[in-house]
Coordinates of all heavy atoms in Angstrom, one line a residue:
I170 N 13.4 -14.6 12.4 CA 12.5 -13.6 11.8 C 11.8 -12.9 13.0 O 11.2 -13.6 13.8 CB 11.5 -14.2 10.8 CG1 10.5 -13.1 10.4 CG2 10.7 -15.4 11.4 CD1 9.6 -13.5 9.2
D171 N 11.9 -11.6 13.1 CA 11.4 -10.9 14.3 C 9.9 -10.7 14.1 O 9.4 -9.7 13.8 CB 12.1 -9.6 14.4 CG 13.5 -9.8 14.9 OD1 13.9 -10.9 15.1 OD2 14.3 -8.8 14.9
Q172 N 9.2 -11.8 14.4 CA 7.7 -11.8 14.4 C 7.3 -12.7 15.6 O 7.7 -13.8 15.7 CB 7.2 -12.4 13.1 CG 5.8 -12.1 12.8 CD 4.8 -13.2 13.3 OE1 5.2 -14.2 13.8 NE2 3.5 -12.9 13.2
K173 N 6.6 -12.1 16.6 CA 6.4 -12.7 17.9 C 5.6 -14.0 17.8 O 6.0 -15.0 18.5 CB 5.7 -11.8 18.8 CG 6.4 -10.5 19.2 CD 5.6 -9.6 20.0 CE 6.3 -8.3 20.3 NZ 5.4 -7.3 21.1
S174 N 4.6 -14.1 17.0 CA 3.7 -15.3 17.1 C 4.4 -16.6 16.6 O 4.2 -17.6 17.1 CB 2.4 -15.1 16.3 OG 2.6 -14.9 15.0
C175 N 5.3 -16.4 15.6 CA 5.9 -17.7 15.1 C 7.0 -18.1 16.1 O 7.2 -19.3 16.3 CB 6.5 -17.5 13.7 SG 7.7 -16.3 13.5
F176 N 7.6 -17.2 16.9 CA 8.5 -17.6 17.9 C 7.7 -18.3 19.1 O 8.1 -19.3 19.6 CB 9.3 -16.4 18.4 CG 10.3 -16.8 19.5 CD1 11.5 -17.4 19.1 CD2 10.1 -16.5 20.8 CE1 12.4 -17.7 20.1 CE2 11.0 -16.8 21.8 CZ 12.2 -17.4 21.4
K177 N 6.6 -17.6 19.4 CA 5.8 -18.1 20.6 C 5.1 -19.5 20.2 O 4.8 -20.3 21.1 CB 4.8 -17.1 21.0 CG 5.4 -15.9 21.6 CD 4.4 -14.8 21.8 CE 3.5 -15.0 23.0 NZ 2.6 -13.9 23.2
S178 N 4.9 -19.7 18.9 CA 4.3 -21.0 18.5 C 5.1 -22.2 18.9 O 4.6 -23.2 19.3 CB 4.1 -21.0 17.0 OG 5.3 -21.1 16.3
M179 N 6.4 -22.0 18.9 CA 7.4 -23.1 19.3 C 7.4 -23.2 20.9 O 7.4 -24.3 21.4 CB 8.8 -22.8 18.8 CG 8.8 -22.7 17.3 SD 10.5 -22.4 16.6 CE 10.5 -20.6 16.9
I180 N 7.5 -22.1 21.6 CA 7.5 -22.1 23.0 C 6.2 -22.7 23.5 O 6.2 -23.6 24.5 CB 7.6 -20.7 23.6 CG1 8.9 -20.0 23.1 CG2 7.5 -20.6 25.1 CD1 10.2 -20.6 23.7
T181 N 5.0 -22.3 23.0 CA 3.8 -22.8 23.4 C 3.6 -24.4 23.2 O 3.0 -25.1 24.0 CB 2.6 -22.2 22.6 OG1 2.7 -20.8 22.8 CG2 1.3 -22.7 23.1
A182 N 4.3 -24.9 22.2 CA 4.3 -26.3 21.9 C 5.2 -27.0 22.9 O 5.2 -28.3 22.9 CB 4.6 -26.6 20.5
G183 N 6.0 -26.3 23.6 CA 6.9 -27.0 24.6 C 8.3 -27.3 24.1 O 9.0 -28.1 24.7
F184 N 8.7 -26.6 23.0 CA 10.0 -26.9 22.5 C 11.0 -25.7 22.7 O 10.5 -24.6 23.0 CB 9.9 -27.2 21.0 CG 9.2 -28.5 20.7 CD1 7.8 -28.4 20.4 CD2 9.8 -29.7 20.8 CE1 7.1 -29.6 20.2 CE2 9.1 -30.9 20.7 CZ 7.7 -30.9 20.3
E185 N 12.2 -25.9 22.5 CA 13.2 -25.0 22.7 C 13.7 -24.5 21.3 O 14.4 -25.1 20.5 CB 14.5 -25.5 23.4 CG 15.5 -24.5 23.7 CD 16.7 -25.1 24.5 OE1 16.4 -26.1 25.3 OE2 17.8 -24.7 24.4
P186 N 13.3 -23.2 21.0 CA 13.8 -22.7 19.7 C 15.3 -22.4 19.7 O 15.9 -21.9 20.6 CB 13.1 -21.4 19.5 CG 12.0 -21.4 20.6 CD 12.5 -22.2 21.7
V187 N 16.0 -22.8 18.6 CA 17.4 -22.5 18.4 C 17.4 -21.5 17.3 O 17.2 -21.8 16.1 CB 18.2 -23.8 18.0 CG1 19.7 -23.4 17.8 CG2 18.1 -24.9 19.1
V188 N 17.7 -20.3 17.7 CA 17.7 -19.1 16.8 C 19.0 -19.1 16.0 O 20.1 -19.1 16.5 CB 17.5 -17.8 17.6 CG1 17.5 -16.6 16.6 CG2 16.3 -17.8 18.5
I189 N 18.8 -19.2 14.6 CA 19.8 -19.1 13.7 C 19.9 -17.7 13.1 O 19.0 -17.2 12.4 CB 19.7 -20.1 12.6 CG1 19.4 -21.5 13.1 CG2 20.9 -20.0 11.6 CD1 20.6 -22.1 13.8
E190 N 21.0 -16.9 13.5 CA 21.1 -15.5 13.0 C 21.2 -15.6 11.4 O 21.9 -16.4 10.9 CB 22.2 -14.8 13.6 CG 22.0 -14.5 15.1 CD 20.9 -13.4 15.3 OE1 20.8 -12.5 14.4 OE2 20.2 -13.4 16.3
N191 N 20.6 -14.5 10.8 CA 20.8 -14.4 9.4 C 22.1 -13.8 9.0 O 22.8 -13.2 9.8 CB 19.6 -13.5 8.9 CG 18.3 -14.1 9.2 OD1 17.9 -15.2 8.7 ND2 17.5 -13.3 10.0
V192 N 22.5 -14.0 7.7 CA 23.7 -13.4 7.2 C 23.4 -12.2 6.3 O 22.4 -12.2 5.6 CB 24.6 -14.4 6.5 CG1 25.2 -15.4 7.5 CG2 23.9 -15.0 5.4
L193 N 24.2 -11.1 6.4 CA 23.9 -10.0 5.6 C 24.7 -10.1 4.3 O 25.9 -10.2 4.1 CB 24.5 -8.7 6.3 CG 24.2 -7.4 5.7 CD1 22.7 -7.1 5.6 CD2 24.9 -6.2 6.5
E194 N 23.9 -10.1 3.2 CA 24.4 -10.1 1.8 C 23.9 -8.8 1.1 O 22.8 -8.8 0.7 CB 24.0 -11.4 1.1 CG 24.4 -12.6 1.7 CD 24.0 -13.9 1.0 OE1 23.5 -13.8 -0.1 OE2 24.2 -15.0 1.5
G195 N 24.8 -7.9 0.9 CA 24.4 -6.6 0.4 C 23.4 -6.0 1.5 O 23.8 -5.8 2.7
D196 N 22.2 -5.6 1.0 CA 21.3 -5.1 2.0 C 20.4 -6.2 2.6 O 19.7 -6.0 3.6 CB 20.3 -4.1 1.3 CG 21.1 -2.7 1.0 OD1 22.0 -2.4 1.7 OD2 20.7 -2.0 0.0
E197 N 20.4 -7.4 2.0 CA 19.5 -8.4 2.3 C 20.0 -9.3 3.5 O 21.2 -9.5 3.6 CB 19.2 -9.4 1.1 CG 18.5 -8.7 0.0 CD 18.2 -9.7 -1.1 OE1 19.1 -10.5 -1.4 OE2 17.2 -9.6 -1.8
L198 N 19.0 -9.8 4.3 CA 19.3 -10.7 5.4 C 18.9 -12.1 4.9 O 17.7 -12.3 4.6 CB 18.6 -10.3 6.7 CG 19.1 -9.1 7.4 CD1 18.1 -8.6 8.4 CD2 20.5 -9.4 8.0
R199 N 19.8 -13.0 4.8 CA 19.5 -14.4 4.2 C 19.8 -15.5 5.1 O 20.6 -15.3 6.1 CB 20.3 -14.5 2.8 CG 20.1 -13.3 1.9 CD 20.2 -13.8 0.5 NE 19.1 -14.6 0.0 CZ 19.1 -15.3 -1.1 NH1 20.0 -15.1 -2.0 NH2 18.1 -16.1 -1.5
T200 N 19.3 -16.7 4.8 CA 19.5 -17.8 5.7 C 21.0 -18.2 5.7 O 21.7 -18.3 4.7 CB 18.8 -19.0 5.1 OG1 17.5 -18.6 4.6 CG2 18.7 -20.1 6.1
D201 N 21.5 -18.5 7.0 CA 22.9 -18.9 7.2 C 22.8 -20.5 7.2 O 22.7 -21.1 8.2 CB 23.4 -18.4 8.5 CG 24.9 -18.7 8.7 OD1 25.4 -19.6 8.0 OD2 25.5 -18.0 9.5
L202 N 23.0 -21.0 6.0 CA 22.9 -22.5 5.8 C 24.0 -23.2 6.6 O 23.8 -24.3 7.1 CB 23.0 -22.8 4.3 CG 21.8 -22.3 3.5 CD1 22.1 -22.5 2.0 CD2 20.5 -23.1 3.9
E203 N 25.2 -22.6 6.6 CA 26.3 -23.2 7.3 C 26.0 -23.4 8.8 O 26.2 -24.4 9.4 CB 27.6 -22.4 7.2 CG 28.6 -23.0 6.2 CD 29.9 -22.1 6.2 OE1 30.5 -22.0 7.3 OE2 30.2 -21.6 5.1
A204 N 25.4 -22.3 9.4 CA 25.0 -22.3 10.8 C 24.0 -23.4 11.1 O 24.0 -24.0 12.1 CB 24.6 -20.9 11.2
V205 N 23.0 -23.5 10.2 CA 21.9 -24.5 10.3 C 22.6 -25.9 10.4 O 22.3 -26.7 11.3 CB 20.9 -24.4 9.2 CG1 19.9 -25.6 9.3 CG2 20.1 -23.1 9.3
E206 N 23.4 -26.2 9.5 CA 24.0 -27.6 9.4 C 24.9 -27.8 10.6 O 24.9 -28.9 11.1 CB 24.7 -27.7 8.1 CG 25.2 -29.2 7.9 CD 25.4 -29.5 6.4 OE1 25.8 -28.6 5.6 OE2 25.3 -30.7 6.1
K207 N 25.6 -26.8 11.0 CA 26.5 -26.9 12.2 C 25.7 -27.2 13.4 O 26.1 -28.1 14.2 CB 27.3 -25.6 12.4 CG 28.3 -25.7 13.5 CD 29.1 -24.4 13.6 CE 30.1 -24.4 14.8 NZ 30.8 -23.2 14.9
K208 N 24.5 -26.6 13.6 CA 23.6 -26.9 14.7 C 23.1 -28.3 14.6 O 22.9 -29.0 15.7 CB 22.5 -25.9 14.8 CG 22.8 -24.6 15.5 CD 23.2 -24.9 17.0 CE 23.6 -23.6 17.7 NZ 23.9 -23.8 19.1
I209 N 22.8 -28.8 13.5 CA 22.3 -30.2 13.3 C 23.3 -31.1 13.8 O 23.1 -32.1 14.6 CB 21.9 -30.4 11.9 CG1 20.7 -29.6 11.5 CG2 21.6 -31.9 11.7 CD1 20.3 -29.7 10.0
E210 N 24.6 -30.9 13.4 CA 25.6 -31.8 13.8 C 25.9 -31.7 15.3 O 26.3 -32.7 15.9 CB 26.9 -31.5 12.9 CG 26.7 -31.9 11.4 CD 27.8 -31.3 10.6 OE1 28.6 -30.5 11.1 OE2 27.8 -31.7 9.4
E211 N 25.8 -30.5 15.8 CA 26.1 -30.3 17.2 C 25.1 -30.9 18.1 O 25.4 -31.5 19.1 CB 26.2 -28.8 17.5 CG 26.4 -28.3 18.9 CD 26.3 -26.8 19.1 OE1 26.7 -26.0 18.2 OE2 25.7 -26.4 20.1
L212 N 23.8 -30.7 17.8 CA 22.7 -31.2 18.7 C 22.3 -32.6 18.4 O 21.7 -33.3 19.2 CB 21.5 -30.2 18.5 CG 21.6 -28.8 18.9 CD1 20.4 -28.0 18.4 CD2 21.9 -28.6 20.4
G213 N 22.6 -33.1 17.2 CA 22.1 -34.5 16.8 C 20.8 -34.4 16.2 O 19.8 -33.8 16.7
A214 N 20.7 -35.0 15.0 CA 19.4 -34.9 14.2 C 18.2 -35.4 15.0 O 17.1 -34.9 14.9 CB 19.6 -35.6 12.9
E215 N 18.5 -36.5 15.8 CA 17.4 -37.1 16.4 C 16.8 -36.2 17.5 O 15.7 -36.5 18.0 CB 17.8 -38.5 17.1 CG 18.8 -38.4 18.2 CD 20.3 -38.1 17.8 OE1 20.5 -38.0 16.6 OE2 21.1 -38.0 18.7
N216 N 17.5 -35.2 18.0 CA 17.1 -34.3 19.1 C 16.4 -33.1 18.5 O 16.0 -32.2 19.3 CB 18.3 -33.9 19.9 CG 18.9 -35.1 20.6 OD1 18.2 -35.9 21.2 ND2 20.2 -35.2 20.6
I217 N 16.3 -33.0 17.2 CA 15.7 -31.8 16.5 C 14.3 -32.2 16.0 O 14.2 -33.1 15.2 CB 16.6 -31.3 15.4 CG1 17.9 -30.8 15.9 CG2 15.9 -30.2 14.6 CD1 19.0 -30.6 14.9
L218 N 13.3 -31.5 16.5 CA 11.9 -31.8 16.0 C 11.8 -31.4 14.6 O 11.2 -32.2 13.8 CB 10.9 -31.0 16.9 CG 9.5 -31.3 16.5 CD1 9.0 -32.5 17.2 CD2 8.6 -30.1 16.8
C219 N 12.3 -30.3 14.2 CA 12.1 -29.8 12.8 C 12.9 -28.6 12.5 O 13.4 -27.9 13.5 CB 10.6 -29.6 12.5 SG 9.9 -28.1 13.4
V220 N 13.0 -28.2 11.3 CA 13.5 -26.9 10.9 C 12.2 -26.1 10.6 O 11.3 -26.6 9.9 CB 14.4 -27.0 9.6 CG1 14.6 -25.5 9.1 CG2 15.7 -27.7 10.0
H221 N 12.2 -24.9 11.2 CA 11.0 -24.0 11.0 C 11.4 -22.8 10.1 O 12.1 -21.9 10.7 CB 10.5 -23.6 12.4 CG 9.4 -22.6 12.4 ND1 9.0 -21.9 13.5 CD2 8.5 -22.1 11.5 CE1 8.1 -21.1 13.3 NE2 7.7 -21.3 12.0
S222 N 11.1 -22.8 8.9 CA 11.6 -21.8 8.0 C 10.4 -20.8 7.6 O 9.3 -21.0 8.0 CB 12.1 -22.4 6.7 OG 11.1 -23.1 6.0
T223 N 10.8 -19.8 6.9 CA 9.8 -18.7 6.6 C 9.9 -18.3 5.1 O 11.0 -18.2 4.6 CB 10.0 -17.5 7.5 OG1 10.0 -17.9 8.8 CG2 9.0 -16.4 7.3
T224 N 8.8 -18.0 4.5 CA 8.8 -17.4 3.1 C 8.5 -15.9 3.2 O 9.4 -15.1 3.1 CB 7.8 -18.1 2.2 OG1 6.5 -18.1 2.9 CG2 8.2 -19.5 1.9
S225 N 7.3 -15.5 3.4 CA 6.8 -14.1 3.5 C 7.4 -13.4 4.7 O 7.3 -13.9 5.8 CB 5.3 -14.0 3.5 OG 4.7 -14.9 4.4
C226 N 8.0 -12.3 4.5 CA 8.6 -11.6 5.6 C 8.9 -10.1 5.3 O 8.8 -9.7 4.1 CB 10.0 -12.2 6.0 SG 11.1 -12.4 4.5
F227 N 9.2 -9.3 6.3 CA 9.5 -7.9 6.1 C 10.9 -7.7 5.6 O 11.9 -8.3 6.2 CB 9.4 -7.2 7.5 CG 8.0 -6.9 7.9 CD1 7.7 -7.1 9.2 CD2 7.1 -6.4 7.1 CE1 6.4 -6.9 9.7 CE2 5.7 -6.1 7.5 CZ 5.4 -6.4 8.9
A228 N 11.0 -7.0 4.6 CA 12.4 -6.6 4.1 C 13.1 -5.8 5.2 O 12.4 -5.1 6.0 CB 12.3 -5.7 2.8
P229 N 14.4 -5.9 5.3 CA 15.4 -6.4 4.4 C 15.6 -8.0 4.5 O 16.4 -8.5 3.8 CB 16.6 -5.6 4.7 CG 16.5 -5.4 6.2 CD 15.0 -5.1 6.4
R230 N 14.8 -8.6 5.4 CA 14.9 -10.0 5.4 C 14.2 -10.5 4.2 O 13.2 -9.9 3.7 CB 14.2 -10.6 6.7 CG 14.6 -12.1 6.9 CD 13.7 -12.8 8.0 NE 14.1 -14.0 8.4 CZ 13.9 -15.2 7.8 NH1 13.4 -15.1 6.5 NH2 14.3 -16.3 8.2
V231 N 14.7 -11.6 3.6 CA 14.0 -12.2 2.4 C 13.7 -13.6 2.7 O 14.1 -14.2 3.8 CB 15.0 -12.1 1.2 CG1 15.4 -10.6 0.9 CG2 16.3 -12.9 1.4
P232 N 12.9 -14.2 1.9 CA 12.4 -15.6 2.1 C 13.7 -16.5 2.4 O 14.7 -16.4 1.7 CB 11.7 -16.0 0.9 CG 11.1 -14.7 0.4 CD 12.2 -13.7 0.7
D233 N 13.5 -17.5 3.2 CA 14.6 -18.4 3.5 C 15.0 -19.2 2.2 O 14.2 -19.4 1.3 CB 14.2 -19.4 4.6 CG 14.3 -18.8 6.0 OD1 15.4 -18.2 6.3 OD2 13.4 -19.1 6.8
R234 N 16.2 -19.7 2.2 CA 16.7 -20.6 1.1 C 16.0 -21.9 1.3 O 16.6 -22.9 1.8 CB 18.2 -20.7 1.2 CG 18.9 -19.3 1.0 CD 20.4 -19.5 1.1 NE 21.2 -18.3 1.1 CZ 21.6 -17.7 0.0 NH1 21.3 -18.1 -1.2 NH2 22.3 -16.5 0.1
L235 N 14.7 -22.0 0.8 CA 13.9 -23.2 1.0 C 14.5 -24.5 0.3 O 14.4 -25.5 0.9 CB 12.5 -22.9 0.6 CG 11.5 -22.9 1.7 CD1 11.8 -21.8 2.7 CD2 10.1 -22.7 1.2

Side-chain angles (χ1 to χ4, degrees):
I170 173 170
D171 290 353
Q172 198 270 352
K173 294 176 185 177
S174 65
C175 59
F176 183 77
K177 292 170 73 175
S178 70
M179 299 178 282
I180 299 291
T181 301
F184 294 97
E185 184 177 328
V187 178
V188 181
I189 308 294
E190 287 293 328
N191 301 299
V192 292
L193 185 62
E194 296 181 9
D196 290 331
E197 293 183 323
L198 290 164
R199 307 208 67 186
T200 318
D201 190 338
L202 294 169
E203 256 185 60
V205 173
E206 189 156 26
K207 185 177 178 181
K208 276 295 178 184
I209 293 174
E210 293 169 350
E211 176 187 325
L212 298 172
E215 70 281 0
N216 296 314
I217 297 169
L218 183 81
C219 66
V220 171
H221 175 194
S222 63
T223 306
T224 54
S225 50
C226 53
F227 284 133
R230 196 193 191 281
V231 300
D233 280 318
R234 297 180 186 270
L235 248 60

